[in-house]
Amino acid sequence: MIVTSVTVRVPAKINLQLAVGPLRPDGYHDLVTVFHAISLFDQISVAPAAADGVTVSGEDAAQVPAGNDNLALKAVAALRAAIPRRGAGTRGLASRGAAPDDTPGVAVTISKRIPVAAGLAGGSADAAAALVACNELWGAGLSQQELCEVAAGVGSDVAFAVLGGTAVGRGRGERLTRALVPPATYHWVLAFADGHLSTSEVYGTLDRLRTLPAPGGRPPRMGDSRPPYPPAPGAPGASGARGAAAASGGAPASGHAAESAATAPELSTQLMAALRAGDPRRLGRSLSNDLQAPAISMFPALRKTLAAGREFGALGALVSGSGPTCFFLARGASHATDLAVALSGAGVCRSVARATGPAPGATVIGPQAP
Ligand code: C5P
């Protein structure tokens, strides 16, 4: 069968934990994060063309770069470069598949539902989908692991969008280990904000906030329960036990995990235990995000959004990644509907959506034959 176009569905992600280490010399931060893919999907089609190009429709389409800055096009170029490398030696490029000479390019069509610059890794999702789609279109036969390796060079969150599910990310977020947890479905409500945040600016704000003196006169450490800057509601920029307890609105817990996270972020044992138990109440209490405080300092309206969700009975409330989307854990499907209606009526966000997780990673849903 000659495949003329391939369509891939790809999920948004939220971070159930995002613990951020110090700034590295390369401008990135070491992370320990728990990625969770949710059922909010973009759809991407690729077809042979004379040259690479992209068209975008749907949510926030005008905000997506259309030229070579588009992350999906960068992913196409990265895969094209990876195929001959991988095929070198006994197996040539032809045996691994490649774009035919007369149509060396790819026309990428992106239909967006994931908002742009919203902390949901929408751009990374599109890049992951482009990798999976071109792998199929060109018959390149790269395994998921090999696609994840190419994805890691395209952006920090791209490999996770290939993998999906729930996974622990380390390094920049690109070194992934699938979370070994029993099957469970969690019900989430997303509150989309009226505005955007730049990921690199939120990381930069975190770095600046961390240089401010703490109440005792020493530089603040991750895990400080009383930060010198306006604390996020319930999550004072802390990872680990303190941040987790605070994120649910409880009192900051004591413990060493958050303190040691100042130099080396650590996986929250509380969060992983909640996931292993499949217990939404414990999960809600265990959510934490070091980027929440800087995101709120740049977008103070988020404080009200998070407070409203808690007031309406969310088991947990957190800024997603670098924001400004907030997500809430509901007790079940009907509570998620109630929560979505209440948040929407409270006027604390631009719009709301329900989603379940975990969702599968980038998945081919339609190669089309002529
Ligand atoms: O890798 P990606 O292009 O998605 O990252 C966007 C920006 O977010 C980076 O340029 C960097 O400023 C920041 N970042 C970071 N540490 C990470 C991931 C991203 O500082 N682990």
Side-chain angles (χ1 to χ4, degrees):
M1 180 174 84
I2 299 168
V3 174
T4 56
S5 103
V6 176
T7 301
V8 167
R9 196 183 75 157
V10 66
K13 64 82 192 164
I14 54 178
N15 303 80
L16 306 181
Q17 181 193 8
L18 180 46
V20 182
L23 180 63
R24 305 190 320 199
D26 66 359
Y28 285 88
H29 297 74
D30 270 323
L31 304 180
V32 171
T33 186
V34 178
F35 288 113
H36 183 73
I38 56 172
S39 63
L40 173 69
F41 299 104
D42 279 358
Q43 198 163 299
I44 294 218
S45 297
V46 296
D52 288 348
V54 62
T55 38
V56 188
S57 63
E59 179 88 22
D60 283 349
Q63 316 260 359
V64 180
N68 284 340
D69 283 346
N70 187 288
L71 212 54
L73 286 190
K74 289 186 179 170
V76 170
L79 183 64
R80 192 181 281 125
I83 294 171
R85 256 209 327 276
R86 193 177 176 283
T90 53
R91 308 179 77 173
L93 174 58
S95 71
R96 299 300 308 199
D101 288 344
D102 53 340
T103 50
V106 174
V108 180
T109 310
I110 304 177
S111 171
K112 286 209 72 65
R113 282 191 59 219
I114 308 172
V116 173
L120 298 165
S124 300
D126 299 342
L131 288 177
V132 170
C134 287
N135 189 40
E136 183 80 10
L137 184 73
W138 295 336
L142 269 67
S143 66
Q144 188 180 64
Q145 162 135 20
E146 289 169 324
L147 286 174
C148 282
E149 282 164 25
V150 178
V154 180
S156 306
D157 295 337
V158 181
F160 175 69
V162 172
L163 193 66
T166 303
V168 177
R170 296 176 195 275
R172 285 186 292 125
E174 85 289 11
R175 277 177 25 222
L176 297 173
T177 317
R178 218 179 253 291
L180 294 175
V181 293
T185 300
Y186 299 102
H187 295 267
W188 305 98
V189 176
L190 305 174
F192 302 126
D194 207 358
H196 306 94
L197 283 173
S198 145
T199 302
S200 60
E201 285 174 22
V202 176
Y203 274 101
T205 302
L206 175 67
D207 294 334
R208 275 194 301 284
L209 293 175
R210 283 178 172 170
T211 63
L212 297 177
R218 61 172 170 75
R221 292 191 296 240
M222 275 178 277
D224 276 335
S225 58
R226 286 195 302 121
Y229 43 88
S239 60
R242 285 186 181 178
S248 67
S254 60
H256 302 295
E259 300 273 313
S260 62
T263 47
E266 287 184 8
L267 184 61
S268 163
T269 50
Q270 189 186 343
L271 175 71
M272 294 313 287
L275 287 170
R276 276 195 296 274
D279 180 341
R281 285 181 189 281
R282 282 169 71 185
L283 178 58
R285 286 197 296 273
S286 308
L287 303 172
S288 66
N289 180 2
D290 283 345
L291 294 182
Q292 176 159 290
I296 288 174
S297 79
M298 296 168 72
F299 205 127
L302 300 183
R303 191 184 296 279
K304 259 193 174 170
T305 313
L306 291 166
R310 281 193 212 97
E311 199 179 304
F312 297 132
L315 300 177
L318 202 68
V319 167
S320 180
S322 55
T325 304
C326 296
F327 66 88
F328 305 89
L329 180 57
R331 291 191 299 273
S334 76
H335 181 222
T337 304
D338 294 347
L339 195 51
V341 169
L343 279 166
S344 163
V348 292
C349 54
R350 174 174 58 84
S351 61
V352 299
R354 285 187 41 186
T356 56
T363 306
V364 174
I365 56 170
Q368 275 122 40

